[in-house]
Structure formats: structure tokens, C-alpha cells
Amino acid sequence: MANTTLTASIVAKASLAILENELTMANAVYRGYEGEFDKKINGYEVGDTITIRKPTDFTVRSTITASAQDVTEAKTTIQVNSIAGVDFAFTSQQLTQNIGELSERVIRPAMIQIANQIDVATMNLYKDIPQWVGTPGTLVQSFAGFAKGAQNLDQRSVPQDSRSAILAPADFWALAGSQTALYSQAINNKSYREGEIGKIGGINTFMSQNAPTFTTGPMGGTPLVNGASQNTTYDTTGANTQTLITDGWTAAAAARVVKGDVFTIAGVYDVNPVTKATLPILKQFVVVSNGSSDGSGNLTLTIAPQIITSGAFQTVSAAPADNAAMTFVGTANTGYTNNLFFHKNAFALCTVPMVKPPGAVDCSRQSKNGLSVRVIPFYDGTNDKSTWRLDVLYGVKTIDPRLAVRVSGT
């Protein structure tokens, strides 16, 4: 292919293609929200907010008499306030190279870094997920261990399609190693020779070094629910959080829990979100923000999901009783790898077209498959160099935490 002078448009197209190829978790989440809005022409600025609707729920009647239900749609927002950018300088001679050469030597390393930053931001949404199964501190090194995550998704009626699993390297290779012992040549050859796992139980399985390690809070004492009937009604603002008054912590003012801690309450069981039937597992709740006890061991937690005991948005079998025991997952102040299983609609990534600055002469924006890259070159005539800035404006958000589960080994 003959060399040609590279333009911002050519570089932006190459960058966009590489970015899409390098994303891991971010490629498995929903990326369509930005298509619902009308700023594609002028572009978005850092900090712009997108409002989206969350799915509604209903109850089913079993009588001939009609009983109309209100359509209750909660709203939530995604703020596109994160920038991932790389800047590089080219001489005029370099800009006459073949785009394939430039992509391999310069653009690909830059886009790998941007993709990694976006993947980290997406993976860090795991702290919003209350479901946590398996044995913290052990590897997912068998089908039985992997199946804990799939079983949890099935019990809670998470759709079978578009499921993905992101495993930490240690868990991924432990699971791949277990597959080498299988009789099936089609499976163990890929595991042994290529280190591939592929789809397991209908779940697309990937490895990512960005799988997070979660460190539990300091804890202390024997936490109990302080007061009965702490149930509430569905929050149409989309926050879907509530406070829970507790006591029984160590009688001292000190930090006790951190965002992402998961716990269960004695006697409070999960329900199937579709049928509302009580499940044989205790409902899990996640701490939404760090919390400290007072000198008497009292602590008011902010938790999710809400404790809703009836209706279309029912989450639990019953409200917790006064003095019901609370059990937290894991040991205090201990780090645990959190592998993540999820349906694509659990999380959203919005990468939106950025605004074109009025002073930019050769600005190019390229968008495809819910991703967008902006490239702006500016010229240094003294040194005959072109500095190129490449930007991705994005936001991430947990849309439906019911559609995901954190998985440890067993």
C-alpha cells in the first residue's frame, strides 16, 4: 500500500478499531444509552449527565377480575465525567508512513492503556453488587466452583442470554488447569495448548488482570438489627438504597464497614424477582457507604437493595426482626479477589462524542458500536512537529445490580 499523509480522520478510525478490540469487561456491558440522546452533532462536554429509565416490574393476578397496576419506572443518571487520553508528537516524515505501521508502533500501545483504564473503571462497579457466593480466599478451580455463580444467576431469574464472567488470572488458570483432565479432546486441547476456557454453562468466560481485590471493613462486635419493621417502598429516583439501624457493634466510636461489604440478616430470605416465591437462600445486602459506630456500638448503615416485603418490586420474604443477627461475608480487614459474573444489562458504559472545540482546525470524531474517539492535531511550525491529542469521554454505572454476582472459589 502506498504511503499517504495521515489525517485526524484516519488516525481516529484506526484508534477506534483498536480500542474496541482491546476492551475486555467493557465489551461485555451495555453500551447503547448514548444513542438515545441528541448531542451527537455538537458533542458532549465533561460532566454532562444522561438520564435513563430503569425497567419496571409487575405482579400477576390469579383471578378473573382485572386489577390495573400503575406503571412505575424509576430513573437513574450516568454522568460522562471520565477522560482517558493519550498525546503524542509526530514529525512530518512520520505522518507519511503507512497507517498500519503507525498503528502497530504508536497507536496500539496508546489504546491499550486507554482500554485498560476503561476496563478498570467498569470492573470497579463490583462494589455495587450485593450477591457474593463461593468461599472467599479460595480459587475457582473446578466446574463446581464456577457453577456457584451460574446457579445464583439462575435462582434469581437472570436472563440466560448475554452472560459473561471475568476471572482473575489465578482463578482463570486454575480453572483452565482443571479442564485439562477432562476426557473431551475438544475441551482439554484448548485448555492445555492454548489456555482457552471459552463458554462454560452458557457464560462467556474471560481473564482480566483488572479483576479487583476487595478488602473488607474492620467489623467488631456482634451486629444486630435495631428495631423491627425496617422495610420501605420502591424508590423511583433510581437510587434504591435505604438506611438500616443496627447495634451490637464493639462499644467504641470506630470505623466498622466499608463500601462493598456484603451481609445477610437472619430470617430474611431472597425472593424470585419474577414469581416473588421465597428462595432457599438468605437475602444479601451490600453496604453503600463507609460506616462508623458510636461509643455505644450503634451504627446506621446505608444499604442496597431496599427491604421491600410485597408488591411488584418485592425483594425479601419478610422484614427483619428486632435483634436479628447480621452475618458479613469474609473476615475483617481481609482482601479477597472478586470475580464477576453478570448479564450485559447489569452495567452500562457510555462513551460519547466529545464537543469539537471552536479553535480546532482538523478535529475528527469517530463513533462505532457505542464507542467514540476524538482526535485533534495541532502544529509546531518551529520544530516541524504535530502534536496529536486523542480523547475518550465516558461514564460507567451499575444499572441493575440484580443481574450480577461476585464469585469466590469453593
Side-chain angles (χ1 to χ4, degrees):
M1 181 184 295
N3 290 348
T4 184
T5 300
L6 299 181
T7 65
S9 178
I10 293 174
V11 172
K13 288 179 180 178
S15 301
L16 183 62
I18 295 171
L19 174 62
E20 183 175 26
N21 187 59
E22 294 296 334
L23 293 172
T24 302
M25 179 173 172
N27 256 339
V29 303
Y30 186 65
R31 297 211 305 257
Y33 289 120
E34 65 272 18
E36 301 172 13
F37 302 90
D38 58 2
K39 289 187 113 178
K40 286 188 174 181
I41 296 177
N42 297 323
Y44 290 78
E45 296 182 0
V46 177
D48 278 351
T49 297
I50 293 173
T51 301
I52 60 175
R53 296 183 183 276
K54 299 183 72 173
T56 189
D57 269 325
F58 299 94
T59 55
V60 177
R61 61 177 169 83
S62 56
T63 65
I64 192 63
T65 305
S67 178
Q69 301 174 56
D70 292 333
V71 178
T72 305
E73 292 182 300
K75 294 182 180 180
T76 189
T77 59
I78 299 178
Q79 191 174 36
V80 284
N81 60 352
S82 298
I83 288 283
V86 173
D87 310 308
F88 32 74
F90 297 127
T91 64
S92 296
Q93 182 178 3
Q94 288 173 317
L95 287 174
T96 62
Q97 292 179 349
N98 184 293
I99 185 61
E101 297 176 23
L102 194 67
S103 292
E104 191 62 32
R105 293 192 303 105
V106 179
I107 299 177
R108 181 176 298 278
M111 298 313 296
I112 287 175
Q113 295 298 324
I114 289 178
N116 186 73
Q117 177 175 315
I118 295 173
D119 266 337
V120 168
T122 312
M123 283 295 300
N124 281 340
L125 296 174
Y126 79 97
K127 289 185 179 180
D128 297 333
I129 305 305
Q131 295 79 227
W132 188 350
V133 299
T135 304
T138 60
L139 293 174
V140 177
Q141 54 187 341
S142 66
F143 180 79
F146 185 93
K148 293 285 187 182
Q151 176 183 338
N152 183 271
L153 295 177
D154 286 343
Q155 285 177 312
R156 294 182 299 100
S157 297
V158 174
Q160 295 282 339
D161 66 310
S162 303
R163 290 182 178 184
S164 297
I166 307 294
L167 302 181
D171 294 275
F172 181 91
W173 288 108
L175 188 57
S178 71
Q179 289 190 346
T180 63
L182 296 177
Y183 179 75
S184 171
Q185 290 290 322
I187 296 176
N188 63 28
N189 272 349
K190 282 186 173 292
S191 299
Y192 184 77
R193 298 184 183 280
E194 302 175 31
E196 290 186 7
I197 292 181
K199 182 177 284 190
I200 302 177
I203 300 176
N204 294 308
T205 307
F206 306 94
M207 183 274 288
S208 175
Q209 71 277 18
N210 294 325
T213 297
F214 173 68
T215 300
T216 55
M219 309 298 174
T222 305
L224 305 169
V225 173
N226 184 7
S229 303
Q230 294 194 57
N231 52 302
T232 186
T233 56
Y234 185 61
D235 179 8
T236 57
T237 68
N240 303 125
T241 63
Q242 73 164 81
T243 56
L244 181 68
I245 302 171
T246 69
D247 57 12
W249 300 89
T250 301
R256 299 299 173 196
V257 295
V258 296
K259 178 179 179 179
D261 272 327
V262 172
F263 66 93
T264 56
I265 303 173
V268 179
Y269 286 86
D270 205 348
V271 297
N272 184 300
V274 176
T275 66
K276 317 304 179 187
T278 299
L279 298 174
I281 53 177
L282 291 174
K283 183 68 178 180
Q284 291 182 301
F285 301 90
V286 66
V287 175
V288 173
S289 57
N290 297 357
S292 298
S293 61
D294 64 18
S296 300
N298 301 305
L299 169 56
T300 298
L301 298 171
T302 303
I303 66 168
Q306 295 173 278
I307 300 173
I308 302 174
T309 58
S310 62
F313 298 95
Q314 181 179 349
T315 60
V316 296
S317 61
D322 184 29
N323 289 324
M326 301 167 60
T327 303
F328 282 76
V329 176
T331 303
N333 291 316
T334 303
Y336 298 110
T337 298
N338 273 211
N339 302 297
L340 199 57
F341 290 30
F342 58 94
H343 184 274
K344 67 176 293 185
N345 290 337
F347 309 104
L349 164 68
C350 289
T351 63
V352 294
M354 289 188 71
V355 64
K356 289 184 175 181
V361 177
D362 186 20
C363 175
S364 178
R365 293 184 313 210
Q366 297 293 328
S367 300
K368 180 183 178 183
N369 296 334
L371 295 174
S372 185
V373 171
R374 185 189 70 178
V375 173
I376 303 177
F378 43 100
Y379 182 62
D380 175 3
T382 303
N383 298 299
D384 192 26
K385 280 190 175 182
S386 292
T387 299
W388 296 60
R389 64 172 296 151
L390 189 153
D391 295 286
V392 177
L393 174 60
Y394 68 96
V396 295
K397 180 84 176 222
T398 301
I399 301 302
D400 193 342
R402 298 175 303 175
L403 302 182
V405 59
R406 296 148 71 172
V407 181
S408 297
T410 186

